[in-house]
Amino acid sequence: MFFITLLGAGPALAEAPARPFAVVPYGFLRPGFTWRQDDPALLTDTDGFSALARFGVEAAAEPIHLRARVEIDLQPAPVLQDAFVNWSPHPAFSLNVGQLKVPFSISNLASDSRRQLPTDNAVSRIADIGRDMGASIEGRLPIAQQTRASFTSAVMNGEGKNRLENVNDDFLFAQRLVITPFGSRERPAEGRSPTPYLGVGCGWVYNLTGADESATEYNTFAAELQFAIGVFSLQGEVADVQVVHASPDVVDYNSTGAYGQFGLFIPAPWVSKHLEVVGRAGYAEPNDALASNVDEVSTIDIDAGLNLYIPETPAYLHDVKIQVAYRHSIQDEGDELDDDRMDIVGTVRF
């Protein structure tokens, strides 16, 4: 049974006994609370409770190696997320057609329920790449029943999630390469792995939005590293976005972002498989064309978190957990902005 799950919150069908035909529902509930400093420069109050609820169905027809997925956010509002068909006739080949995540980076592909910190990172903030409609082809290098490398190429509409219209008759193009010498993960995720894991990858996305004088061209590049062994995990990403406007009256610019993140399960009795300490440091410069006296030209974020997994469960599944995280932000240009925040988030997967 071969299936590459590019995204999603539920358990892959590969975890269930092989059957000629199967339909598996899945989903997760993710309530949370955010406290943020009330700085006068903030336009809105971001304190308060929130909830994300997602439900999906994955169907498989094993005799013809065909699978389909439909995934919907129920809260905070009903929104279609995934709707695609996967065909994997061989361990070295996979085809996806429909609406799915653009194959680009860990920040883009890992599910919201499979992250070590509940807050976003510097790369996801400057490289805003989500789901789109189109097709992707993945080629894999299987050696000794393990995928040692994969390359994914995608052509998509480029207009974003749930949008059929193509306003400029142009397309989004994406390429992603990942080398995994010890074997790949079943799905993109952060943190601990049941076996030693090393992933080194890079990605590129080109997209043209708008038309005529309002057209904007985006070239986005990213590189990533993931490593996990025993109770320790490490990952980092760096991304650069080149933005070019068709109108000569609009200034072109670059966005850059990078972060490093580690996780460590406390090696002590009773908690060694339950309690994880996480740390992250990131840098984001969303627009290098802005003058240095403009607030938030560039930001350094320092995140610290504590994850409690309940009950004892393989951490890479993230089935039931409570996360507490604190972020301290530093603006290294412009006026200082007090926007430290604390998040408390619970996740229940089914």
Side-chain angles (χ1 to χ4, degrees):
M1 182 184 310
F2 304 105
F3 177 61
I4 292 297
T5 304
L6 288 178
L7 49 113
L13 292 181
E15 299 170 1
R19 290 174 289 179
F21 301 96
V23 177
V24 176
Y26 65 88
F28 69 84
L29 177 64
R30 192 171 181 259
F33 174 79
T34 299
W35 167 87
R36 188 169 182 173
Q37 285 180 288
D38 293 325
D39 191 285
L42 294 175
L43 300 179
T44 58
D45 186 355
T46 56
D47 293 346
F49 292 92
S50 63
L52 176 61
R54 187 169 296 173
F55 177 78
V57 176
E58 203 167 44
E62 291 302 329
I64 57 175
H65 309 286
L66 195 68
R67 296 177 179 234
R69 165 172 288 189
V70 175
E71 191 172 286
I72 300 173
D73 274 358
L74 303 177
Q75 178 68 29
V79 177
L80 176 65
Q81 298 291 345
D82 292 340
F84 67 91
V85 175
N86 170 273
W87 183 51
S88 298
H90 190 273
F93 174 81
S94 180
L95 170 67
N96 292 282
V97 178
Q99 177 165 289
L100 65 159
K101 285 186 175 180
V102 177
F104 176 61
S105 69
I106 305 168
S107 297
N108 182 54
L109 294 175
S111 168
D112 292 327
S113 67
R114 300 180 184 277
R115 300 190 184 277
Q116 290 176 289
L117 287 166
T119 49
D120 60 356
N121 61 55
V123 168
S124 63
R125 287 200 300 277
I126 66 103
D128 185 17
I129 298 172
R131 290 172 169 85
D132 216 312
M133 297 182 183
S136 68
I137 297 177
E138 181 176 18
R140 301 183 289 269
L141 178 64
I143 300 176
Q145 299 183 331
Q146 293 284 345
T147 299
R148 313 295 176 171
S150 64
F151 179 78
T152 307
S153 183
V155 178
M156 296 186 164
N157 189 35
E159 301 297 333
K161 181 172 59 180
N162 299 326
R163 295 186 61 183
L164 290 172
E165 182 184 10
N166 192 320
V167 299
N168 52 28
D169 296 326
D170 208 332
F171 298 95
L172 179 152
F173 301 95
Q175 314 287 334
R176 173 172 164 83
L177 172 67
V178 182
I179 299 172
T180 53
F182 302 138
S184 67
R185 286 179 161 171
E186 183 182 352
R187 61 178 66 83
E190 296 183 356
R192 184 175 175 178
S193 172
T195 57
Y197 175 78
L198 174 64
V200 181
C202 59
W204 167 73
V205 172
Y206 169 85
N207 194 20
L208 179 68
T209 64
D212 301 326
E213 284 292 306
S214 63
T216 305
E217 182 181 80
Y218 297 86
N219 264 293
T220 306
F221 305 86
E224 66 187 56
L225 169 69
Q226 274 192 305
F227 176 72
I229 185 169
V231 298
F232 178 74
S233 63
L234 179 70
Q235 75 178 49
E237 295 180 273
V238 58
D240 179 80
V241 186
Q242 299 175 2
V243 183
V244 178
H245 301 90
S247 172
D249 299 327
V250 183
V251 178
D252 301 332
Y253 65 89
N254 266 47
S255 295
T256 55
Y259 75 89
Q261 177 175 309
F262 78 91
L264 175 66
F265 280 79
I266 298 176
W270 308 107
V271 298
S272 60
K273 296 182 180 180
H274 294 271
L275 203 58
E276 180 186 30
V277 176
V278 183
R280 182 174 68 200
Y283 170 84
E285 185 175 30
N287 191 331
D288 67 355
L290 293 177
S292 61
N293 61 352
V294 177
D295 290 347
E296 295 189 280
V297 170
S298 56
T299 305
I300 297 172
D301 290 328
I302 300 173
D303 296 86
L306 193 66
N307 297 336
L308 176 64
Y309 295 85
I310 311 170
E312 179 179 319
T313 145
Y316 63 94
L317 291 179
H318 294 219
D319 285 335
V320 182
K321 65 181 177 182
I322 297 175
Q323 297 176 284
V324 179
Y326 189 87
R327 167 176 289 177
H328 176 62
S329 297
I330 304 168
Q331 283 70 51
D332 63 351
E333 297 181 67
D335 297 333
E336 182 64 25
L337 177 65
D338 294 325
D339 59 352
D340 286 11
R341 61 184 290 173
M342 174 175 283
D343 291 84
I344 302 174
V345 176
T347 301
V348 179
R349 294 166 47 84
F350 59 88

